[in-house]
Amino acid sequence: MQPTAFLVGNAKQSIYAFRQGDYRLLGEAAEMLSGHFGAQRLTMEKSWRSAQPVLDRVNTLFSAPEYQHYLEDFQPHSTATIDGAPVVPPCGSFTLVEPAEGKFAEERRQHEAEKIVAVLRHWLESCKPIYDKASKNYRPMRYSDIGVLYRKSVQSDMLEKALIRTGIPYLKEEKRGYYKRREVEDVLAFLSFLAMPGDNIALATLLRSPILRMNDRDFMKLLAEMQQHSQTHHALLPLLKKRHPEIFALLQECLDRIGLWSIDHLLLHFLEQTKASAAYALCWGEEEGRLARANLAQLVEILGTMQPQASGSILEYRDRLKQFRGIDETGNAQLQANSVTLMTMHKAKGLEFPVVFLIGAEEAIGGSGAKISDNGFRKSLHNLHWPFVYIGSKKSERLPEVGEYRNFLRAIAMEERKEGMRLLYVAMTRAQEHFVATASQPGGADSFYTILQTGVFGDAAKNHREIAPGIFGQMLTKGTP
């Protein structure tokens, strides 16, 4: 069989510049494969998630002359069909709620939260029809149909308080950090053990985890024996060969396959052999077990797509995962629970909700600059002579903006705006049927709110109506269930 290469990706959803993500790589790889090997390049502009009314607004915005340069090679989207019928009926809405009012920022945030809750309660109490893909029928809207997205976690604080006051159940992804969950910690211990079999702490963590399930008595016996023979036995692993040969055999098998199998293949084999999914469900209950199972599958995928920057050693994979804790934008795998879901726009990538609220839309699209680097350095995607330049961590440290230095700063600012527009694209395309944007204030010309208003509605007076009792804004609707 001839060797093949099959690359899948979407540069429009490249939103991880703060992790050194480069949206150009997919296109460069496609050009290389096409030029050298005659590879065929296919594009897919069909959505299996969103109804056409939502996609119409996406098409309008990113095809507009003032915004079309932000998403390169953007082509109009349409809903996918099966046997001629769209996977989601062409019914839906696109809404901009009037910006909140108030003299102080906290007061405006509270007013914005009250508006969001008012719209939610009105739609829930009026049994707003939602298309259920599983049953292929409409049903009344549920809490679990609603996803609330924001750029910064702090933007949801007031909304949380409002939801608690009104008794609306919710789950906030940031409070269930993916990389800090126990099953991910157990995988980190497994990687540490593979890299350093003599790491007793990593092995002990693994032995006591739900994966290997060693009970207290057996574990204490091992520790006692190691202490008793401390002059000849400094590691736990040799003791396992005598006391727990089945565990030793599996661990040794994994060690023997290092270099023969990929890291994700090793982990998947280990999890399958230990029946880890069932073990977590047994320890934590069925619901948390299901989440652990889905999170482990997601972690295998992350390891499989991770690109080490140095030697590609197991320790580098482990350390990269550890680094993600500080900038954890990976959401837990999506499971069904009848609660409103709150999460950052980054965490929402790959997910979908029948109803999406984008709150805090006064944020500027280029508002991620401080997050990309906190040490004053910036990376250039276009200047080969200046791959990195120190621009200062605060304005007082910056040099006069002249010559090439000025051009460099302008290029970086443009890349940050492009990243912001890709983030807006991701947020809009998470919606199956209804998209709603709110803001605590109008924001500037580069804010999400203003861009949606000018790019979708044209002006502030167009399609103005009452969204919920006492709540006004602009709304476009299409179709009736």
Side-chain angles (χ1 to χ4, degrees), residues 62 64-72 414 418:
F62 291 102
E66 62 267 45
Y67 302 120
Q68 62 184 2
H69 62 284
Y70 285 112
L71 286 190
E72 299 177 6
M414 174 55 73
K418 285 184 176 181

Side-chain angles (χ1 to χ4, degrees), residues 140-410:
M141 178 175 159
R142 303 169 183 160
Y143 293 123
S144 57
D145 294 323
I146 304 162
V148 179
L149 312 183
Y150 36 84
R151 191 166 199 166
K152 300 174 183 175
S153 184
V154 68
Q155 293 174 305
S156 67
D157 290 348
M158 282 295 179
L159 178 58
E160 279 193 86
K161 295 176 182 178
L163 293 173
I164 291 171
R165 282 197 307 271
T166 53
I168 295 178
Y170 74 94
L171 292 173
K172 187 175 182 181
E173 274 295 328
E174 292 88 305
K175 291 185 175 179
R176 305 189 304 160
Y178 178 77
Y179 288 105
K180 295 178 182 178
R181 282 187 59 90
R182 174 59 195 271
E183 62 268 24
V184 179
E185 292 281 356
D186 294 339
V187 168
L188 289 173
F190 176 65
L191 296 179
S192 295
F193 165 76
L194 290 182
M196 298 177 291
D199 186 342
N200 289 335
I201 294 178
L203 181 52
T205 301
L206 205 54
L207 291 173
R208 298 289 290 131
S209 73
I211 301 177
L212 293 181
R213 307 181 284 281
M214 183 173 287
N215 59 44
D216 293 341
R217 185 184 63 181
D218 290 345
F219 183 67
M220 293 307 294
K221 283 184 177 180
L222 271 181
L223 292 182
E225 186 170 352
M226 187 177 69
Q227 186 175 11
Q228 183 181 358
H229 301 92
S230 58
Q231 295 184 350
T232 56
H233 292 88
H234 301 286
L236 280 172
L237 185 60
L239 296 176
L240 287 176
K241 185 174 184 179
K242 177 181 178 182
R243 301 296 181 188
H244 300 275
E246 68 290 345
I247 294 178
F248 175 84
L250 175 59
L251 294 175
Q252 189 61 52
E253 180 189 16
C254 293
L255 290 171
D256 292 342
R257 279 166 171 68
I258 294 175
L260 301 176
W261 289 357
S262 62
I263 301 298
D264 56 312
H265 189 178
L266 272 172
L267 175 59
L268 182 60
H269 175 73
F270 179 68
L271 296 175
E272 288 177 345
Q273 293 300 308
T274 56
K275 297 181 172 57
S277 298
Y280 283 108
L282 185 64
C283 287
W284 297 344
E286 187 57 36
E287 184 173 346
E288 277 295 304
R290 286 172 55 231
L291 180 58
R293 180 169 63 251
N295 280 341
L296 287 171
Q298 185 167 266
L299 189 55
V300 170
E301 182 178 349
I302 290 171
L303 286 172
T305 57
M306 188 180 290
Q307 296 182 351
Q309 297 176 336
S311 63
S313 67
I314 295 174
L315 279 180
E316 188 178 353
Y317 279 90
R318 184 206 65 182
D319 291 343
R320 289 285 301 280
L321 291 178
K322 285 186 174 180
Q323 289 171 5
F324 288 166
R325 291 175 179 173
I327 48 173
D328 187 357
E329 296 293 355
T330 303
N332 288 299
Q334 193 176 25
L335 297 177
Q336 290 298 321
N338 196 22
S339 303
V340 176
T341 300
L342 277 58
M343 61 173 58
T344 63
M345 298 158 78
H346 285 89
K347 285 182 180 286
K349 183 179 175 181
L351 305 181
E352 65 179 84
F353 300 92
V355 181
V356 166
F357 279 74
L358 172 61
I359 70 173
E362 70 278 0
E363 277 281 312
I365 58 172
S368 63
K371 194 171 186 180
I372 293 177
S373 172
D374 58 4
N375 56 16
F377 282 91
R378 290 296 185 272
K379 176 183 178 182
S380 171
L381 293 181
H382 305 287
N383 194 319
L384 298 178
H385 301 291
W386 291 8
F388 289 92
V389 170
Y390 183 75
I391 68 171
S393 55
K394 49 188 177 181
K395 287 186 178 180
S396 62
E397 298 178 354
R398 297 189 178 180
L399 300 172
E401 296 185 11
V402 295
E404 282 296 312
Y405 181 68
R406 176 179 56 197
N407 295 336
F408 181 87
L409 293 181
R410 288 178 176 175

Side-chain angles (χ1 to χ4, degrees), residues 30-105:
E31 290 180 7
M32 184 275 290
L33 290 172
S34 177
H36 288 78
F37 304 104
Q40 186 178 7
R41 189 170 182 174
L42 305 174
T43 60
M44 186 176 76
E45 309 301 340
K46 300 292 185 182
S47 172
W48 294 82
R49 175 185 297 116
S50 301
Q52 195 59 46
V54 173
L55 297 177
D56 286 343
R57 308 288 80 80
V58 173
N59 294 338
T60 299
L61 175 61
F62 291 102
S63 297
E66 62 267 45
Y67 302 120
Q68 62 184 2
H69 62 284
Y70 285 112
L71 286 190
E72 299 177 6
D73 301 324
F74 176 82
Q75 296 295 324
H77 295 1
S78 59
T79 305
T81 59
I82 297 178
D83 297 330
V87 293
V88 184
C91 302
S93 65
F94 196 94
T95 305
L96 279 182
V97 177
E98 285 183 347
E101 299 175 350
K103 186 176 180 180
F104 302 104

